[in-house]
Amino acid sequence: MEKLTFYALSAPEKLDRIGAYLSERLIRDVSRHRYGYVCIAMEALDQLLMACHCQSINLFVESFLKMVAKLLESEKPNLQILGTNSFVKFANIEEDTPSYHRSYDFFVSRFSEMCHSSHDDLDIRTKIRMSGIKGLQGVVRKTVNDELQANIWDPQHMDKIVPSLLFNLQHVEEAESRSPSPLQATEKEKESPTELAERCLRELLGRAAYGNIKNAIKPVLIHLDNHSLWEPKIFATCCFRIIMYSIQPQHSHLVIQQLLGHLDANSKSAATVRAGIVEVLSEAAVIAASGSVGPTVLEVFNTLLRQLRLSIDYALTGSYDCAAGVSTKIIKEHEERMFQEAVIKTIGSFASTLPTYQQSEVMVFIMNKVPLPSSQQSIEAGKAGENRNRLTQIMLLKSLLQVSVGFQCSNMLTALPSAFLDRLLSAALMEDAEIRLFVLEILISFIDRHGNRQKFSTISTISDISVLKLKVDKCSRQDTVFMKKHGQQLYRHIYLICKEESNMQAHYEALYSMLMLISIELANEEVVVDLIRLVLAVQEIAQINEDNLTAYNRCALFALGAAYLNLISQLTTVPTFCQHIHEVIQMRQKEAPYLLPEDVFVERPRLSKSLDRLGPEVFFWQSKISEVLGGSGYNSDRLSTPYIPQLTDEDRLSKRKSIGETISLQVEVESRNSPEREQRAPAEEITYETLKKAIVDSVAVEEQERERRRQVVEKFQKAPFEEIAAHCGARATLLQSKLNQIFEITIRPPPSPSGTITAAYGQPQNHSIPVYEMKFPDLCVY
């Protein structure tokens, strides 16, 4: 062998003849079953190959590959393994000159076939499969970096290589008890087909360039489809975890896009299959966070929301083909629900990987998809339409909640833009209790920026607030601007939600959290005053009970007010305020424990039917609170003014409002010209003092105006019909008299040409000129 190697090195042009001779001998020995000579010939070829790196090696390699192919074609496992080992040695050699005509098609096919070996003997089967994997690894190493050789990334090759590796990953035989890390694995486990296949797959994907990712991932998706591996989803998740960690990070979004496309392609597959794809998508999204999730972020969410909508339709119609109404597959509603939950979880996973500004865009995008009565979107009519709308609203708000939970933004103006907040709050006025609860939870997750939410999960009247260990920061300038802009809107919706009869304990807990988080996160002195006024107005709802609330609702509102005022009094640290609140709570404990959260917000609440006969000592009084806080520098004028929510156009869209409220805007306009206001006040002289007073007292004036509006609305709601009819009749008479005056003025005669004064007003003139024949000066004509 030494002599032969020396000869080959000194006369490289003879290599091709040496190779041809050895090849001829080997083929003859294989056919005559002289396996000892076969091994010698193969060893000789290996050593010559390792020693010679001259330019004329290409022809020798042809002979070598022909011999390897001959061994791989043999039925003897040992010859197959021998041929594979030689090929692997050859694959590790870096050739000086490229080969233009060399083909590896046979080797890819044969090695893939060996990967699927089903030999009866387990040991031999394992060895053949491992040889097949090593062979594929050799082909990849040999071809992947050489542009002039066969393109291993072509679908014809990838469709054989990738499934072969996945097949060995899937069938764990020897490595059933795999160690957590390769370092701890035994030698036997290290040499298992599973470990080897995983290493080979990682190497293959690690070498994939941007344009080749699609060809490498498509066979994975097809393999998982063909073998129904989405449903348990464990293997599918494992595969994509390997893929996501192996490819270059900047290519992550390509895998995500392929999975989304595959989800669309499987729109009519079973819910379990779709849920598996979505779960894998969720896992992949978390890993992709370190790289990129691509330029088309909204397209990802659009696809997921479309699938959510389809799933709702499937669950309602019971058919994958909504038009035909007939389906061969039976749709199970609980499976569709599982799929919907998986989609929502995935939306949350995706959103958590995005930067803040993109999360904000995604939330606006999702909110715009929610069908609301106030929006331009068509709300479907009929029972089925209502069900579809309700389910869509709930699912989209759940998705929004998932995104908002991971959303962190210090600037509330950025986090809750006006258009988004308006749509979200309009959903808070809907009849459905579940939808209202979702809206409250979403708002809470936005406002809670210091993790205080859990500390208010139970409503109670604790005597020492320090045990809660609240994280409180000073209200920033942006937060102050946000509350000036949207504060009244938030208070109004909290007030209206409190009036809902369908509220449960969860609603009151969410309202309590909301009030407390606004007090901690967004409160300055003015906001605290407004919140106290709001809670006192909520107490009045329960006290007067115009809306005929149940005993539980009324007790819950009393308890909510007590719990909030107890905490806010300790936050403001005004001793007299704390004392008043504490006295009322103590009085309630003695006289009316059913007005405190400890008796109301329990599994079996203790209620009282005699809520209308309560004494004044168990109520929090606005005058008293105004007095004690006014003495500590708070705005006592504002505190002493009762809170009355503004009525807006939004109320017309709510089914729960009475006719009197929905026409409140028209009533307000009409009331300004009513007979009671016919006498106008004399014009007031405007001075510096009046301007100053107007600026200072503008808030009080606004409150008085609101009170006036409320009285007008109340009059139209509660006054007897005869009184309203008389009032409208008086206005009609007044209007008619005004119209008569106008008509008389329009038919008055024009001034005479001579300039003399005409006859008295109202007397008929025989020679009057019609208006259309009058001559007006040019400056009067427009």
Side-chain angles (χ1 to χ4, degrees):
M1 197 63 228
E2 284 177 11
K3 287 180 181 178
L4 181 60
T5 307
F6 177 76
Y7 177 68
L9 286 170
S10 56
E13 69 278 0
K14 300 289 186 185
L15 257 177
D16 58 330
R17 290 183 64 188
I18 296 170
Y21 172 73
L22 283 172
S23 173
E24 188 186 327
R25 284 292 302 268
L26 184 132
I27 290 165
R28 192 172 63 204
D29 290 337
V30 168
S31 59
R32 292 178 180 178
H33 306 292
R34 294 176 177 173
Y35 300 127
Y37 288 116
V38 171
C39 292
I40 292 168
M42 229 33 238
E43 181 127 358
L45 279 166
D46 287 349
Q47 288 194 29
L48 284 173
L49 200 60
M50 302 301 281
C52 304
H53 291 274
C54 57
Q55 291 187 347
S56 56
I57 198 173
N58 270 334
L59 291 172
F60 175 69
V61 169
E62 289 302 316
S63 302
F64 170 78
L65 290 177
K66 193 199 286 185
M67 291 163 67
V68 171
K70 184 68 179 173
L71 291 178
L72 292 175
E73 284 173 347
S74 167
E75 292 180 3
K76 298 284 183 185
N78 289 341
L79 292 186
Q80 293 173 16
I81 293 165
L82 182 68
T84 304
N85 291 341
S86 292
F87 183 83
V88 170
K89 288 175 191 171
F90 159 69
N92 290 329
I93 296 171
E94 290 187 18
E95 295 180 60
D96 297 334
T97 53
S99 170
Y100 299 93
H101 57 280
R102 198 180 294 161
S103 170
Y104 292 99
D105 291 9
F106 166 77
F107 294 101
V108 171
S109 300
R110 185 63 187 134
F111 287 137
S112 299
E113 195 180 326
M114 286 166 70
C115 287
H116 289 84
S117 169
S118 55
H119 199 281
D120 295 337
D121 190 319
L122 177 62
D123 286 340
I124 293 172
R125 181 164 74 230
T126 303
K127 284 177 183 174
I128 293 173
R129 286 187 181 181
M130 286 180 65
S131 292
I133 297 166
K134 286 176 184 173
L136 289 176
Q137 196 173 23
V139 173
V140 171
R141 284 179 183 171
K142 199 69 190 165
T143 57
V144 80
N145 293 325
D146 193 346
E147 292 178 4
L148 296 168
Q149 294 195 1
N151 186 2
I152 200 70
W153 300 107
D154 284 347
Q156 59 183 15
H157 298 313
M158 282 289 114
D159 290 348
K160 293 172 185 171
I161 294 172
V162 173
S164 303
L165 297 176
L166 293 177
F167 175 79
N168 283 282
L169 264 178
Q170 184 187 341
H171 291 84
V172 182
E173 289 172 344
E174 287 187 351
E176 282 175 1
S177 57
R178 290 171 63 186
S179 301
S181 74
L183 294 173
Q184 297 170 353
T186 62
E187 280 300 314
K188 193 174 183 182
E189 279 184 345
K190 269 186 183 175
E191 289 301 308
S192 73
T194 309
E195 293 283 344
L196 199 58
E198 185 176 326
R199 259 200 322 272
C200 185
L201 185 62
R202 286 183 188 279
E203 187 179 331
L204 176 72
L205 293 164
R207 293 168 182 266
Y210 182 88
N212 304 325
I213 293 285
K214 188 177 178 183
N215 289 346
I217 303 301
K218 195 176 178 185
V220 178
L221 299 172
I222 292 169
H223 181 83
L224 295 172
D225 281 348
N226 291 343
H227 296 273
S228 305
L229 294 171
W230 291 112
E231 291 177 40
K233 81 176 179 290
I234 299 162
F235 179 71
T237 308
C238 171
C239 279
F240 274 89
R241 203 174 284 135
I242 291 170
I243 290 166
M244 295 307 288
Y245 280 120
S246 302
I247 59 171
Q248 296 170 44
Q250 66 269 27
H251 300 158
S252 300
H253 66 94
L254 291 173
V255 180
I256 303 291
Q257 283 174 0
Q258 292 244 139
L259 278 166
L260 286 167
H262 198 65
L263 180 60
D264 272 345
N266 281 275
S267 288
K268 294 188 178 180
S269 299
T272 47
V273 172
R274 284 177 282 134
I277 299 172
V278 168
E279 291 272 0
V280 170
L281 200 51
S282 175
E283 290 272 345
V286 174
I287 299 167
S290 57
S292 68
V293 288
T296 54
V297 170
L298 291 181
E299 189 53 41
V300 171
F301 290 94
N302 199 24
T303 302
L304 290 170
L305 294 178
R306 184 167 64 247
Q307 289 298 327
L308 202 56
R309 185 99 195 199
L310 279 172
S311 176
I312 291 167
D313 285 344
Y314 294 159
L316 285 172
T317 59
S319 163
Y320 286 120
D321 189 0
C322 301
V326 180
S327 176
T328 52
K329 296 177 185 175
I330 298 168
I331 291 176
K332 295 176 182 172
E333 201 171 328
H334 72 276
E335 288 182 357
E336 288 296 339
R337 204 172 297 117
M338 278 168 52
F339 169 70
Q340 289 159 14
E341 293 296 334
V343 171
I344 290 165
K345 180 188 162 197
T346 304
I347 286 172
S349 299
F350 256 113
S352 64
T353 67
L354 300 175
T356 305
Y357 76 93
Q358 279 190 327
Q359 283 183 329
S360 193
E361 284 177 10
V362 166
M363 287 188 285
V364 172
F365 179 75
I366 295 173
M367 194 65 227
N368 286 337
K369 295 268 184 186
V370 179
L372 295 173
S374 57
S375 67
Q376 297 301 314
Q377 293 175 342
S378 57
I379 293 289
E380 296 178 55
K383 186 75 176 171
E386 280 181 22
N387 283 343
R388 185 173 285 109
N389 288 329
R390 182 181 173 276
L391 281 171
T392 306
Q393 287 159 352
I394 287 172
M395 289 302 164
L396 291 177
L397 287 171
K398 263 190 183 179
S399 306
L400 195 56
L401 182 58
Q402 279 284 335
V403 180
S404 66
V405 165
F407 182 70
Q408 289 295 326
C409 182
S410 56
N411 188 347
M412 290 299 291
L413 281 167
T414 312
L416 291 167
S418 295
F420 175 77
L421 187 62
D422 290 346
R423 284 185 63 80
L424 185 62
L425 289 174
S426 65
L429 293 183
M430 297 185 77
E431 284 183 342
D432 196 287
E434 195 176 354
I435 290 173
R436 291 201 306 277
L437 187 58
F438 276 127
V439 173
L440 286 171
E441 292 290 346
I442 290 163
L443 286 168
I444 286 166
S445 62
F446 276 116
I447 297 168
D448 181 24
R449 291 166 293 177
H450 293 90
N452 290 315
R453 165 76 171 97
Q454 291 307 315
K455 294 161 188 175
F456 305 119
S457 55
T458 54
I459 310 178
S460 63
T461 52
I462 55 171
S463 55
D464 185 9
I465 199 173
S466 61
V467 298
L468 295 177
K469 295 179 182 175
L470 299 173
K471 295 175 186 172
V472 184
D473 277 353
K474 191 180 176 186
C475 183
S476 67
R477 182 177 163 278
Q478 291 98 329
D479 290 344
T480 306
V481 173
F482 173 79
M483 287 309 287
K484 276 190 183 298
K485 189 175 180 184
H486 298 297
Q488 292 301 325
Q489 200 179 2
L490 284 172
Y491 307 147
R492 169 185 142 70
H493 283 82
I494 291 171
Y495 180 85
L496 292 174
I497 292 171
C498 286
K499 294 174 79 170
E500 292 293 343
E501 195 175 343
S502 57
N503 285 344
M504 308 297 288
Q505 183 174 331
H507 292 83
Y508 296 112
E509 285 171 353
L511 285 163
Y512 175 66
S513 297
M514 179 100 162
L515 288 165
M516 284 313 305
L517 288 168
I518 292 173
S519 308
I520 291 170
E521 297 277 355
L522 306 168
N524 51 22
E525 191 178 298
E526 189 181 330
V527 172
V528 169
V529 167
D530 281 343
L531 286 169
I532 292 169
R533 289 171 59 231
L534 171 63
V535 170
L536 290 170
V538 168
Q539 177 186 258
E540 196 181 345
I541 292 173
Q543 199 174 344
I544 299 171
N545 196 24
E546 289 178 347
D547 298 281
N548 295 321
L549 296 174
T550 63
Y552 173 76
N553 293 128
R554 293 176 72 186
C555 288
L557 291 179
F558 281 126
L560 175 69
Y564 175 75
L565 289 171
N566 174 55
L567 281 188
I568 200 70
S569 65
Q570 294 180 57
L571 280 173
T572 53
T573 63
V574 177
T576 47
F577 183 30
C578 292
Q579 187 184 348
H580 170 63
I581 301 301
H582 189 59
E583 283 171 2
V584 175
I585 289 173
Q586 278 189 325
M587 190 57 69
R588 285 188 180 186
Q589 285 169 346
K590 288 179 188 174
E591 305 289 334
Y594 45 84
L595 301 185
L596 291 172
E598 285 78 7
D599 274 36
V600 178
F601 300 117
V602 288
E603 193 174 340
R604 291 183 179 176
R606 282 176 283 178
L607 308 174
S608 169
K609 298 284 173 89
S610 58
L611 292 173
D612 295 322
R613 296 195 293 274
L614 292 168
E617 67 279 357
V618 296
F619 296 121
F620 302 100
W621 290 99
Q622 190 146 6
S623 55
K624 179 71 175 171
I625 292 173
S626 174
E627 180 189 323
V628 295
L629 284 179
S632 299
Y634 286 84
N635 186 341
S636 57
D637 290 342
R638 194 172 177 81
L639 266 168
S640 58
T641 312
Y643 172 77
I644 297 154
Q646 285 179 310
L647 291 161
T648 66
D649 287 347
E650 193 176 36
D651 293 326
R652 289 190 229 173
L653 307 166
S654 173
K655 296 176 187 174
R656 307 177 318 285
K657 304 299 170 204
S658 67
I659 294 169
E661 283 179 350
T662 57
I663 61 165
S664 60
L665 294 173
Q666 292 92 317
V667 170
E668 181 194 333
V669 173
E670 289 169 5
S671 67
R672 289 183 178 172
N673 298 318
S674 61
E676 291 91 354
R677 295 184 54 134
E678 205 170 334
Q679 297 296 327
R680 291 191 177 183
E684 187 182 354
E685 186 184 352
I686 297 170
T687 63
Y688 170 75
E689 284 302 320
T690 49
L691 287 172
K692 183 179 175 185
K693 188 179 177 186
I695 292 166
V696 172
D697 295 343
S698 60
V699 174
V701 171
E702 188 184 333
E703 293 295 342
Q704 287 167 8
E705 182 68 14
R706 283 186 198 160
E707 176 63 17
R708 190 190 60 71
R709 288 179 193 168
R710 191 181 73 78
Q711 287 170 357
V712 172
V713 172
E714 206 170 78
K715 180 180 175 183
F716 271 78
Q717 283 179 328
K718 297 185 177 179
F721 175 74
E722 291 77 10
E723 189 181 322
I724 295 171
H727 171 75
C728 293
R731 287 194 63 259
T733 310
L734 176 72
L735 180 63
Q736 188 61 49
S737 66
K738 292 284 183 189
L739 284 171
N740 289 338
Q741 287 180 26
I742 292 163
F743 292 146
E744 285 172 0
I745 290 166
T746 54
I747 59 170
R748 281 177 66 179
S752 60
S754 62
T756 57
I757 299 170
T758 56
Y761 168 71
Q763 290 181 2
Q765 298 291 317
N766 297 330
H767 302 290
S768 63
I769 303 168
V771 175
Y772 55 84
E773 288 184 6
M774 288 181 193
K775 300 294 182 187
F776 290 96
D778 289 345
L779 290 173
C780 293
V781 180
Y782 176 66

